[in-house]
């Protein structure tokens, strides 16, 4: 089974680059690429919103819920949460209550910011996963963008939380080392160009059991991101773990 | 299929990227790629452009059925003009790395190079990237982004030169192609996004795109996957894979 654990909805402003697509196209294209499940979040209807308002978050998450309802066997949802919004808990519980399996935290607050702590505590109570964006940009991160060290801080503080650090931390060498000693922190290998060695490095530093396939589609391509795993110099069993088994094991308890 | 984005040699920051000509030929054969325009990695680091290119042209000569050498120049090297005159005739193009070597493409010392390229119908290949500088672990690797607008101006100033922009991002490629210049071409190695390649082709840019893998930095399978996309019609796939190379460069 292949699970793509990092997919976003198309935004209105992406149509000049990707063409004008209905959201169901994400599902059809994933299927064409042999993907069995996709895990979807929306970062905004018009464009990706770093500090979404209460209404913007509601609309974004409602779009994901609509896609989940349309493809209930295929689409898992993650609720986009802005910890700065006063009603974050209400929105989180709405998303979980309607069947989402976790939340997506992007760049509205760093993972080490105390604002994030109650959100993660709620995820622990609700027994859902946290997909946390991360980057270690040589040219500097955005103001509230988490580094892998922020993610490690969060993972260390909450060992009961299941956290997926996105994009292998953005910098495989430093990013993966930051979470190496935290068994509750996984990483996805989504996004970026299909550089050789990313998956191999992740396996050598974390072991295959803590690596999860994700594409970051539609900004990235399913096929290209799949090639990062399928063409990597690792064993067949490890590829299988990364491509789907690890994620399904995360879900495969009595939570969902 | 013809790959316009290949490198050969050693990459000092990551042995995974090391790639000898014989290995590269095997990889191309295995993947149904008939020829590749290849550039020496050594030229990225070398202070002596002539020495690096001399070694490179000797190295790839036995593999000429598959590997078509491209002269890699750094105009800041004192020997670049000598390298140019010595290898010009044997080269399938000239590749420049302005972001990596840190110079401007409108530097007057390059004027003669552009003119000679126009006269001899050789493409000038300009590298936009080969690794992701944002997230690279190799902090020693610094390169500045090349603004597409500067490249469009360059192409406008030298209409007789075919410029191939190597490995632009989707946004960069879109900007370059939307300029509508007949002498602007892009390779597809860094073009990503669900629907992106089809969208560019639907806008009529298929005739300005060239197949490229950016191997050994990227997986060659990643670019293969892009052009296996069934949503691209056969004619467009063939244009990108080899038709444009045949028509424009006689390769």
């Amino acid at each position: 089974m292949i699970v793509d654990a990092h997919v976003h909805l198309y935004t209105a402003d992406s149509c000049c680059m990707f063409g004008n697509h209905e959201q169901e196209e994400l599902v059809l294209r994933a299927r064409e690429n042999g993907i069995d499940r996709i895990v979807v979040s929306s970062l905004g209807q018009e464009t990706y919103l770093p500090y979404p308002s209460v209404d913007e978050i509601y609309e974004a998450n409602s779009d994901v819920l609509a896609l989940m309802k349309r493809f209930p066997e295929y689409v898992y949802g993650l609720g986009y949460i802005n910890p700065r919004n006063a009603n974050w808990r209400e929105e989180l519980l709405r998303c979980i209550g309607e069947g989402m399996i976790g939340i997506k935290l992007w760049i509205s607050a760093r993972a080490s910011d105390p604002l994030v702590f109650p959100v993660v505590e709620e995820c622990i109570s609700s027994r859902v996963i946290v997909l946390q964006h991360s980057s270690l940009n040589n040219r500097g991160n955005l103001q509230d963008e988490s580094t892998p060290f922020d993610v490690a801080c969060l993972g260390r503080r909450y060992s009961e939380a299941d956290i997926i650090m996105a994009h292998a931390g953005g910098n495989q060498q430093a990013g993966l080392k930051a979470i190496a000693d935290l068994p509750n922190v996984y990483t996805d290998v989504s996004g970026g160009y299909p550089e050789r060695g990313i998956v191999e490095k992740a396996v050598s530093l974390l072991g295959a059991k803590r690596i999860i396939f994700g594409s970051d589609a539609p900004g990235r391509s399913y096929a290209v991101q799949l090639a990062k795993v399928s063409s990597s110099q690792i064993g067949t069993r490890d590829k299988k773990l990364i491509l789907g088994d690890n994620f399904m094991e995360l879900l495969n308890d009595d939570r969902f | 299929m013809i790959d316009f984005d290949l490198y050969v040699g050693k990459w000092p920051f990551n042995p995974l990227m090391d790639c000898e000509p014989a290995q590269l030929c095997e990889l191309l054969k295995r993947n149904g790629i008939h020829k590749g325009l290849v550039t020496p990695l050594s030229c990225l680091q070398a202070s002596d452009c002539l020495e690096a290119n001399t070694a490179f042209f000797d190295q790839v000569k036995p593999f000429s059925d598959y590997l078509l050498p491209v002269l890699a120049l750094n105009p800041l090297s004192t020997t670049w003009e000598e390298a140019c005159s010595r290898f010009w005739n044997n080269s399938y193009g000239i590749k420049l790395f302005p972001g990596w070597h840190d110079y401007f493409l409108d530097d007057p010392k390059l004027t003669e190079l552009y003119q000679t390229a126009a006269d001899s119908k050789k493409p000038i290949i300009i590298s936009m990237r080969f690794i992701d500088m944002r997230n690279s672990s190799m902090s020693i690797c610094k390169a500045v982004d090349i603004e597409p607008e500067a490249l469009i101006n360059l192409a406008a100033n030298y209409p007789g030169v075919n410029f191939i922009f190597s490995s632009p991002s989707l946004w960069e490629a879109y900007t370059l192609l939307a300029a509508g210049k007949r002498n602007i071409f892009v390779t597809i190695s860094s073009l990503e996004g669900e629907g992106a390649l089809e969208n560019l082709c639907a806008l009529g840019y298929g005739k300005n795109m060239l197949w490229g893998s950016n191997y050994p930095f990227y997986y060659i399978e990643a670019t293969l996957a892009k052009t296996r996309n069934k949503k691209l019609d056969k004619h467009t796939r063939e244009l990108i894979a080899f038709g444009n190379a045949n028509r424009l460069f006689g390769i």
Side-chain angles (χ1 to χ4, degrees):
Chain A
M1 168 171 282
I2 299 179
V3 181
D4 184 338
H6 197 137
V7 176
H8 301 294
L9 294 185
Y10 285 110
T11 55
D13 73 350
S14 68
C15 63
C16 69
M17 293 292 179
F18 307 135
N20 200 3
H21 300 298
E22 299 295 327
Q23 302 297 2
E24 69 175 29
E25 189 79 6
L26 285 170
V27 171
L28 304 177
R29 286 168 179 268
R31 280 187 174 142
E32 284 167 11
N33 282 284
I35 294 167
D36 300 293
R37 300 277 190 282
I38 57 175
V39 184
V40 179
S41 57
S42 169
L43 300 178
Q45 280 186 333
E46 295 297 316
T47 189
Y48 287 180
L49 300 163
Y51 301 98
S53 67
V54 168
D55 289 346
E56 287 166 337
I57 281 267
Y58 185 89
E59 288 169 354
N61 290 332
S62 297
D63 289 345
V64 174
L65 289 167
L67 196 67
M68 287 167 58
K69 286 192 176 101
R70 184 140 186 222
F71 300 96
E73 304 299 317
Y74 198 86
V75 175
Y76 293 126
L78 297 178
Y80 183 23
I81 297 297
N82 176 358
R84 295 180 190 279
N85 288 350
N87 79 332
W88 66 261
R89 191 186 306 272
E90 182 189 332
E91 180 62 12
L92 189 154
L93 293 173
R94 176 179 84 100
C95 292
I96 305 309
E98 295 203 37
M100 289 194 182
I101 59 165
I103 66 163
K104 162 77 177 183
L105 295 172
W106 195 37
I107 55 173
S108 51
R110 284 183 172 222
S112 59
D113 188 322
L115 271 175
V116 174
F117 298 163
V119 178
V120 172
E121 286 163 12
E122 186 59 59
C123 288
I124 294 166
S125 302
S126 298
R127 307 192 71 195
V128 296
I129 60 175
V130 177
L131 174 59
Q132 169 66 63
H133 168 85
S134 67
S135 173
L136 198 56
N137 192 327
N138 288 329
R139 294 163 180 177
N141 275 20
L142 298 167
Q143 184 182 330
D144 292 309
E145 186 173 27
S146 297
T147 66
F149 310 108
D150 293 312
V151 182
C153 171
L154 188 67
R156 194 164 282 117
R157 184 180 179 93
Y158 295 109
S159 59
E160 323 90 290
D162 287 329
I163 299 168
I164 301 174
M165 178 179 77
H167 316 307
N171 174 320
Q172 307 95 50
Q173 190 75 25
L176 295 169
K177 278 185 181 167
I179 60 161
D181 64 343
L182 299 168
N184 61 316
V185 183
Y186 299 72
T187 191
D188 77 31
V189 287
S190 69
Y193 296 107
E195 286 184 12
R196 293 172 65 226
I198 291 173
V199 175
E200 291 90 334
K201 174 65 76 178
V203 171
S204 73
L205 288 173
L206 305 184
K209 290 282 287 178
R210 285 171 57 201
I211 304 163
I212 285 170
F213 167 67
S215 66
D216 209 7
R220 299 284 168 176
S221 318
Y222 291 124
V224 169
Q225 299 293 317
L226 271 169
K228 276 164 49 175
V229 180
S230 60
S231 305
S232 64
Q233 303 293 304
I234 59 172
T236 309
R237 190 173 167 277
D238 285 351
K239 287 181 186 175
K240 188 167 176 290
L241 288 171
I242 294 167
L243 285 172
D245 290 0
N246 289 341
F247 190 83
M248 292 313 291
E249 195 175 314
L250 255 180
L251 301 190
N252 196 22
D253 57 24
D254 57 2
R255 288 183 296 185
F256 302 103
Chain B
M1 197 176 291
I2 296 158
D3 191 334
F4 274 78
D5 256 346
L6 285 172
Y7 298 87
V8 72
K10 291 197 182 300
W11 181 240
F13 308 104
N14 185 349
L16 255 183
M17 307 302 183
D18 291 353
C19 180
E20 296 307 316
Q23 287 175 283
L24 189 54
C25 286
E26 278 308 308
L27 183 80
L28 297 184
K29 278 188 227 178
R30 202 164 59 238
N31 287 289
I33 298 162
H34 300 93
K35 288 183 190 300
L37 274 74
V38 63
T39 312
L41 285 171
S42 56
C43 280
L44 291 165
Q45 311 299 328
S47 55
D48 187 335
C49 213
L50 176 64
E51 187 183 359
N53 276 295
T54 303
F56 162 66
F57 275 83
D58 284 347
Q59 192 186 24
V60 297
K61 201 171 179 183
F63 305 95
S64 58
D65 285 350
Y66 281 91
L67 304 183
L68 311 180
V70 170
L71 182 59
L73 293 180
N74 174 7
L76 302 181
S77 160
T78 54
T79 57
W80 79 281
E81 284 165 304
E82 199 180 342
C84 212
S85 60
R86 190 175 302 179
F87 295 108
W88 188 274
N89 290 336
N90 296 329
S91 177
Y92 282 79
I94 294 84
K95 192 157 189 173
L96 302 173
F97 299 85
W100 180 267
H101 287 138
D102 200 14
Y103 58 86
F104 293 105
L105 287 162
D106 58 0
D107 190 316
K109 70 168 68 165
L110 290 169
T111 304
E112 193 182 335
L113 177 76
Y114 299 140
Q115 198 52 57
T116 313
D119 295 343
S120 59
K121 305 287 180 204
K122 285 192 196 291
I124 300 274
I125 305 171
I126 294 173
S127 169
M128 310 273 299
R129 69 177 45 71
F130 45 90
I131 54 174
D132 191 340
M133 290 298 169
R134 295 171 309 167
N135 302 326
S136 173
S137 301
M138 299 163 277
S139 56
I140 196 172
C141 300
K142 300 285 186 204
V144 293
D145 288 337
I146 312 296
E147 291 301 321
E149 289 73 16
L151 303 176
I152 293 165
N153 287 338
L154 181 69
N157 290 337
Y158 296 95
V161 180
N162 283 322
F163 288 97
I164 301 173
F165 299 113
S166 161
S167 213
S169 68
L170 173 60
W171 173 79
E172 290 164 344
Y174 181 84
T175 307
L176 288 164
L177 295 169
K181 305 281 179 211
R182 294 175 62 180
N183 60 333
I184 287 182
F185 300 88
V186 300
T187 65
I188 64 167
S189 48
S190 289
L191 289 191
E192 267 218 77
E194 272 306 314
L197 190 55
E198 302 140 57
N199 190 42
L200 290 176
C201 292
L203 293 168
Y205 303 140
K207 60 185 186 305
N208 293 77
M209 289 194 271
L210 299 162
W211 204 92
S213 66
N214 196 36
Y215 187 86
F217 296 103
Y218 295 175
Y219 291 107
I220 211 161
E221 293 85 349
T223 305
L224 286 167
K226 287 178 199 173
T227 42
R228 282 192 193 119
N229 180 350
K230 289 175 186 151
K231 293 185 191 302
L232 287 178
D233 65 73
K234 185 167 180 276
H235 173 67
T236 307
R237 271 208 302 267
E238 289 179 354
L239 275 182
I240 296 170
F242 58 85
N244 292 331
N246 293 164
R247 177 171 53 90
L248 296 159
F249 306 113
I251 298 168

